[in-house]
Amino acid sequence: MSKFLEVELTPNQYGGGSFNCKAGFRLDNLASSFQNIDVKIDTGCSISTIPVKKLKVSDRICRSLKEADINNNVISVRSYGIETGGVFHPEPITKRQKMRREALKFQHTISDMKIDGVDIPVSNIFS
């Protein structure tokens, strides 16, 4: 039997819309698991991301997690698209440049991922 995810388009006032649903998961860099988190499925994004800030984590903890990822040489990518205004950002080299770069995402292990109750077999995600 096949499993699939069917998500209805939520229209917006401009004629487009988004695919919104609920997710549950556990990230390796955070102690708690997350349930019933609002997520948006972005069909135009080339990598999957879960912004830690959207999980209602404080700015102080977000900075601490980012610094730990930089110090531990966690794999990172630069984001492009709507969140960066489509502007190219050069590769950050120094720790200070990396800390200042808002569109820098770090690869983490994700487990127990479910979207609208459907198990999603993914092991890595960027946050």
Side-chain angles (χ1 to χ4, degrees):
M1 181 172 168
S2 296
K3 290 186 179 182
F4 65 93
L5 182 64
E6 182 178 355
V7 181
E8 190 173 321
L9 178 71
T10 304
N12 65 27
Q13 63 188 12
Y14 306 108
S18 59
F19 298 101
N20 303 293
C21 47
K22 298 284 186 180
F25 51 86
R26 181 178 274 294
L27 293 170
D28 68 352
N29 62 334
L30 294 167
S32 60
S33 65
F34 297 90
Q35 301 300 321
N36 292 317
I37 301 296
D38 292 319
V39 295
K40 183 187 321 184
I41 297 175
D42 184 347
T43 59
C45 189
S46 62
I47 62 169
S48 295
T49 62
I50 295 178
V52 174
K53 188 71 175 165
K54 298 265 183 179
L55 301 175
K56 299 186 170 120
V57 175
S58 74
D59 288 342
R60 182 182 59 76
I61 292 173
C62 285
R63 278 191 304 276
S64 176
L65 291 170
K66 185 173 187 175
E67 186 168 24
D69 285 347
I70 292 167
N71 289 341
N72 293 319
N73 294 314
V74 173
I75 294 170
S76 64
V77 296
R78 294 170 287 160
S79 293
Y80 296 101
I82 197 76
E83 74 276 9
T84 62
V87 176
F88 173 79
H89 296 280
E91 183 77 38
I93 305 298
T94 67
K95 180 178 178 179
R96 181 179 173 167
Q97 289 171 336
K98 291 177 183 179
M99 286 299 294
R100 296 178 78 178
R101 191 73 40 141
E102 291 181 21
L104 196 60
K105 312 293 185 226
F106 297 89
Q107 184 174 327
H108 286 279
T109 301
I110 188 168
S111 57
D112 304 325
M113 176 81 167
K114 290 182 188 247
I115 296 180
D116 277 354
V118 176
D119 288 323
I120 305 296
V122 63
S123 57
N124 291 306
I125 199 155
F126 285 83
S127 64

